Each structure stands twice: as structure tokens, then as C-alpha cells.
Amino acid sequence: MSRGNIFLSTLLWLVIAFLVIYPLSILVLESFKIAKTGGWGINNYLEFFQDTYYLKTFGNTLFLSVLVLLTSTLFGVPLAYILARYRLRGKTIFTALILLPIVLPAYAGAFAFVIFFGKYGTLNLLLLEAGLIQTPINFIFGLHGLVFIQALHMLPFIVLSLSAGFTNIDPSFEEAAEVEGAGDFWRFLTVTLPLCTPSYLAGAVIVFLWPFTDWLTPLILGMVDYLPSIAYINIAYHFTDMHRKYMGIVAVVVSSVVCISLFLLSRWWVEKKKYTGLSKGTTLEGRVIEPGALMKLGAYSYMFFITIIVVLIPAVLGLAAFSRRWVFEPFPTYWTLDNFRMIFLETPALIYNSFLFSGVALLFGIAFGLPAAYLIVRTQVRGKDALDFVITLMLAFPGIAVGVSYLLAFWKDIPLATHWIIMPLSLFARRLPYFLRMAHSSYLQLDVSLEEASEVSGAGKLRTFINISLPLLLKGVFIGVVMFFIMAFQEITTAIFLYRGGWETLPIGIYLNWHRGMEFGIAASMAFLMVVITFILLLIISRIGGGILKAAWGPGSR
């Protein structure tokens, strides 16, 4: 065990302690403060679990999580199977479009669907004009609309995880079942799906936990009786009412505890069972099926159906972005570039801040993520598994928990929150797992003998990394860079608590324009601009590193 590795491990742990463990500890301690007395105790938690309203919000959130998971699974399983198994033309484009929701803010989809499916939205107006209905249908407002929007937003996690699972299954297992007479459907239920359990749980946990962190989508739909929404309202709007503020903090901690508990439970469940078997192995593509004409038609139809729903988001936002007025008419009739002119000429700081904060956070992510991936994969330093675990655990922490903890921890004693650097630091802490997973996966695919040969020839570790490892890691690192940047670029649940005047980003600008009741065209143009940027980056990811992307979010990444 070299001194260099020990020093590197110590340095990485110091960063994690300062930017993750310390602020989250402050959040927990703050939840035990008793308003008006200055004392400490469990009174806030007792009141929370004795108050019927807070119990109702907790139950609503759990119920919503179950519905979102079931819905995303129902639509995600066949979609993942098609993308992983069938040899179809245009699959790269379909994949990029279907994965688009993962990098778009959920509230962008909410805005678009309110315009299209609202009481006097496009669909209802078309049906009314055609005489098919007499009164508008409530397509979107209510629990069904909330489940639809959140399930669509989280669908890519199910698709990515299951695609990795389907690809990694040894074809001989399924072939053996077919030889024994099992039909396609029975073989799928009894062999394929059980072997995908670790992969499925990897994505399912993230999907299940999403309603515990998404506070904005329910508010857009006029629904506040959910844990993250009531936590945001109590903290952001009642900061002078100390009692409600502390109850909001308790709600954040309760959400975090639920998320972490379920995350750990899923890991334990996967690790206690054995999913391996003696086999001849599989190829990089896995088992590839040449579908018949009818099956191909069905696969294309299903992918097209999902794609149409997803594409509604940028399409509706695009129409709204280039329109001046869009009220009580199916489609805009007055077109303008004023919305974009306002963004680029009057509020260019939103774009500048988005790129600046995300870019600085990305530099932090690379500087931390590459050494961390090396330490975890290539060394035997004590605590490396714990480091990997803590970083991965950030996937389960609600964004609202990170935002509130940074506000509490870095305001007085360590006044980082008074400087703009707090924004990229919070984005770095929030999105670090996305880069680490890619770098980790790339290191696993790099043959260690290449590095050993370089060191035997006399090259030091640093020279070996620069001349041998880094060039071979570039593909996975590039995908991690793009993925990290995309996720940081669209982050709002954390940033909304930390921004000050002049620090607004595009996501915050979208929220503020909606919240202040200003013209939706401006907010739509901001969202459409984000759609264009993120889709281009996502298309690059899908084209360059589909295999690495699946590997990073497979069960091994957990």
C-alpha cells in the first residue's frame, strides 16, 4: 500500500467530509432544534408523526412512489427489451429521444403537458371543435397527471437498467428454456426477468425515490399535499415562522431517511441472493433477435408511441417559445422572436450562469471523480469501498436535502453561501455519482496489464496514467463529462435554495417566470433552449457510448 494512495484517499475523504457529511450532519442537528425555546429535543419529530396532515402528506408520497414505479415499469419493460434485443434500424435515434426525459427538468414536461392536455389545452380544444366532446376532459390535473409526468421523467432509468440486464444475460440460459419447450412469454417470465432483478432494482430504487425529491411538479399541477412540496413551502415561504421552518426541515430529513433506507434495503436484497451461473459467457451486444415482420411492426409502433409522448415536450415548448399569445386556441397564430431576444439581450446572465456554474462543477467532478475511480478500482486502500458507497449514496439523497443542508451549513460559521462558488459546489456534490459511475465503468473495462507493463518499463504512476490510462479511458470519461454537465445544467431542486440576485440559471429563470405569473412564452423559450442543448449532448452520448452508459447503470454500479 503506497503512501501516494493513502494520501490520495485521505484527500478525497476530506473533500467528502466537508462537502457531503458535514452539511448533511448540520441538517439533521437543525431538525432537533425547538422553535422559540432554543433547546434541543425530539419534539419536532413527535409533532410531525402525531399531526394528521403531515402523516397524510407522508402517505400520499409513498402511494405516489408506488404508482410511479408501477407505471414506469409497465411501460419500461417492453421498451427495454426491444432496445436491447431487437435489431432495428434507427434504434440510436429512438434511444436518444426516449432517454431525453432523463436530462430534462420534470417541470419542463409539466409545463408542456399543461398546455397540451390542460382544460383548454390543445387536445381538449381540438376535441371540442370536432364535436367529439361537449365539455373539456381533465387529462392532466390530479393524481393521474402527476403519475404520468413523473413516470415519463423516470422511465429512462428503468429502460437503461433493464437494457443492461437483458444484454448481460447469457443466451444459453434462455436457449435451454426454449429447448425444454418454454414459449417466449413463459421463458421471459421465468428466466429472463428473474436474471434481470439486480439491474431492475438498480433503476427501480431511483424511480421509487423520485416523488420524495420532486417538489415542483406537484405545485405546478396545484397539488401540495406531498412531503417535498410541503417541505419547500415551509422553508421557502415561512422562514419567519420558525416553527413551520423546523417542521419543513423535519420533512426533509424524513424524506432523506426514507430514501436512504430503501436504497440500502435494495442493495441488501440484491447482495443476499445469487444471480450468477456457470455459462459460456455473452457478447457485448448480448442476445440479438431478428424480429419477424409482425413483431417488427409492433416494436416500431411501441417505440413510436413512446417517442411521440416524449417529443410532445420539446414540440409544445418550441411552439410556445416562438409565439406571442397562445390562449384558447389549439395552436399559436402569432409568431415572434421576442422571447429569445429577451433571453439573449436582456437576461443573458441566465445562460452565462448556467454554463459557468455547470462548467466549474464539472471541473470539480473531473478533478475528484478520476482519482476516486482509480482508487476504488485499482487499489486496495482501506476505506475505498466506503468512499464508493458514500458517493453512490448521494443518488438517493433528495436534492432538497442537499440545498437546505448547504444553506444551513455554509451561511454563518463558514459563509460560502454568500459567494457564487456555493452554486457549483452544490452541483458538484449533487451530481458527482453520475461522473463517477462512468469513470468507474471505464476503469473496469481497461485491462490492468497495460498499466502494469508501463510501470515495469520504468514509467511512474502519473506518466502511466497520462500516456496509457487516460487515452484508453477517454470514451467513458467523455460520456461521464457530458452526463455530469447535463444533470448539473438542469438542476433546480438544490440550486433554488442557494441562489441570490444575479446568480439565476436557466432552470431558476423558468421557475421564476412561471411563479411570478409572467408570460409563459419566455419560460417556454428558456426550456426549449435547454431541450436543444441537452438533446444534442444526449445524442452524442447515445451514439458514442451506449454500452458504457448501460454498464454504468447496471447492478454492478451499485
Side-chain angles (χ1 to χ4, degrees):
M1 188 180 300
S2 69
R3 293 182 179 179
N5 290 339
I6 295 175
F7 173 78
L8 178 60
S9 176
T10 303
L11 183 62
L12 295 178
W13 268 112
L14 287 175
V15 173
I16 290 297
F18 181 65
L19 294 179
V20 176
I21 298 175
Y22 167 69
L24 292 175
S25 299
I26 295 296
L27 173 69
V28 174
L29 290 175
E30 196 75 13
S31 69
F32 288 99
K33 282 188 178 180
I34 302 174
K36 298 181 181 180
T37 66
W40 301 76
I42 60 173
N43 300 46
N44 295 331
Y45 287 93
L46 292 176
E47 182 175 346
F48 179 89
F49 286 105
Q50 291 172 357
D51 191 306
T52 55
Y53 177 71
Y54 287 116
L55 285 178
K56 174 187 173 183
T57 61
F58 183 71
N60 288 346
T61 311
L62 277 176
F63 184 57
L64 176 63
S65 293
V66 172
L67 292 180
V68 170
L69 178 59
L70 291 176
T71 304
S72 59
T73 299
L74 179 65
F75 287 94
V77 170
L79 188 59
Y81 191 82
I82 291 171
L83 294 176
R85 291 292 177 84
Y86 290 174
R87 195 184 300 279
L88 301 170
R89 289 190 177 185
K91 196 163 64 173
T92 298
I93 298 296
F94 277 112
T95 302
L97 289 171
I98 290 167
L99 296 183
L100 186 59
I102 200 175
V103 293
L104 289 181
Y107 56 84
F111 288 141
F113 290 134
V114 165
I115 294 176
F116 190 84
F117 293 111
K119 185 177 181 180
Y120 288 99
T122 298
L123 183 57
N124 268 316
L125 289 175
L126 290 174
L127 293 175
L128 287 170
E129 290 181 1
L132 298 177
I133 59 174
Q134 300 299 318
T135 57
I137 300 174
N138 179 17
F139 288 110
I140 200 70
F141 292 101
L143 179 62
H144 61 289
L146 184 57
V147 171
F148 166 65
I149 292 173
Q150 291 193 341
L152 182 64
H153 179 65
M154 301 307 292
L155 180 65
F157 284 102
I158 295 293
V159 173
L160 279 175
S161 299
L162 279 176
S163 293
F166 291 140
T167 301
N168 292 332
I169 292 177
D170 190 317
S172 62
F173 291 125
E174 296 177 323
E175 292 167 358
E178 293 168 357
V179 169
E180 293 295 324
D184 291 342
F185 184 70
W186 184 249
R187 181 259 303 160
F188 180 78
L189 286 180
T190 58
V191 177
T192 308
L193 273 184
L195 289 173
C196 283
T197 298
S199 297
Y200 171 72
L201 287 178
V205 171
I206 298 176
V207 174
F208 187 86
L209 300 181
W210 175 246
F212 282 91
T213 191
D214 181 18
W215 54 268
L216 184 50
T217 305
L219 292 184
I220 294 174
L221 298 181
M223 306 168 71
V224 298
D225 295 339
Y226 294 93
L227 212 53
S229 300
I230 201 63
Y232 171 75
I233 291 173
N234 280 0
I235 295 172
Y237 290 90
H238 299 282
F239 52 87
T240 57
D241 185 340
M242 298 305 294
H243 177 261
R244 293 195 65 169
K245 170 191 169 184
Y246 287 125
M247 293 306 293
I249 293 175
V250 168
V252 173
V253 174
V254 170
S255 295
S256 301
V257 170
V258 171
C259 292
I260 297 302
S261 299
L262 291 174
F263 183 83
L264 296 177
L265 181 62
S266 69
R267 287 176 63 101
W268 171 80
W269 177 262
V270 170
E271 291 172 358
K272 82 168 188 171
K273 292 180 176 292
K274 187 175 181 180
Y275 298 90
T276 57
L278 297 175
S279 66
K280 63 184 180 183
T282 183
T283 62
L284 181 62
E285 277 190 301
R287 188 183 189 187
V288 178
I289 299 174
E290 292 287 352
L294 186 61
M295 192 67 70
K296 184 178 292 188
L297 177 63
Y300 274 118
S301 299
Y302 189 73
M303 287 194 299
F304 189 73
F305 168 71
I306 300 295
T307 301
I308 286 296
I309 296 176
V310 171
V311 171
L312 272 179
I313 299 174
V316 171
L317 291 176
L319 290 174
F322 289 98
S323 66
R324 184 64 179 173
R325 295 184 300 270
W326 191 358
V327 181
F328 296 111
E329 53 186 3
F331 302 100
T333 55
Y334 183 81
W335 306 98
T336 181
L337 293 175
D338 288 345
N339 297 324
F340 289 97
R341 188 177 294 113
M342 177 171 290
I343 295 175
F344 288 107
L345 297 181
E346 297 187 24
T347 58
L350 297 180
I351 301 175
Y352 174 79
N353 288 340
S354 294
F355 279 97
L356 175 64
F357 297 156
S358 300
V360 174
L362 176 59
L363 293 178
F364 291 153
I366 295 173
F368 183 95
L370 279 178
Y374 165 78
L375 195 77
I376 294 167
V377 178
R378 289 289 190 258
T379 73
Q380 297 299 323
V381 175
R382 290 182 181 179
K384 66 163 190 167
D385 292 333
L387 180 69
D388 185 25
F389 175 74
V390 172
I391 296 173
T392 305
L393 206 60
M394 290 302 293
L395 284 171
F397 265 103
I400 192 172
V402 178
V404 174
S405 66
Y406 267 54
L407 184 63
L408 295 173
F410 298 122
W411 185 256
K412 291 183 180 180
D413 298 332
I414 307 176
L416 284 177
T418 60
H419 303 281
W420 66 269
I421 196 65
I422 195 67
M423 297 290 282
L425 283 176
S426 64
L427 295 178
F428 160 73
R430 172 86 169 112
R431 298 305 186 183
L432 178 61
Y434 289 89
F435 180 82
L436 182 65
R437 292 270 61 82
M438 303 301 172
H440 182 277
S441 177
S442 299
Y443 259 114
L444 289 176
Q445 295 179 13
L446 175 61
D447 192 341
V448 68
S449 63
L450 299 174
E451 297 171 320
E452 292 173 346
S454 175
E455 293 177 12
V456 168
S457 299
K461 289 186 177 297
L462 180 59
R463 187 177 177 184
T464 297
F465 174 78
I466 295 175
N467 294 335
I468 304 297
S469 304
L470 187 58
L472 296 174
L473 292 171
L474 278 180
K475 181 179 178 180
V477 168
F478 175 73
I479 296 168
V481 164
V482 176
M483 196 69 180
F484 182 102
F485 183 85
I486 289 173
M487 302 308 292
F489 193 78
Q490 59 91 43
E491 175 64 31
I492 188 175
T493 56
T494 296
I496 196 69
F497 292 95
L498 301 171
Y499 87 95
R500 303 176 72 181
W503 299 355
E504 294 89 347
T505 60
L506 275 174
I508 294 175
I510 296 170
Y511 168 70
L512 292 178
N513 276 280
W514 165 77
H515 187 61
R516 293 168 182 169
M518 300 175 69
E519 294 187 38
F520 181 74
I522 299 174
S525 60
M526 294 178 181
F528 184 71
L529 188 60
M530 290 185 63
V531 169
V532 172
I533 295 171
T534 52
F535 178 71
I536 293 173
L537 296 174
L538 186 62
L539 189 59
I540 293 172
I541 288 179
S542 179
R543 186 70 177 177
I544 294 178
I548 292 178
L549 197 61
K550 291 177 183 178
W553 294 103
S557 69
R558 296 296 181 273

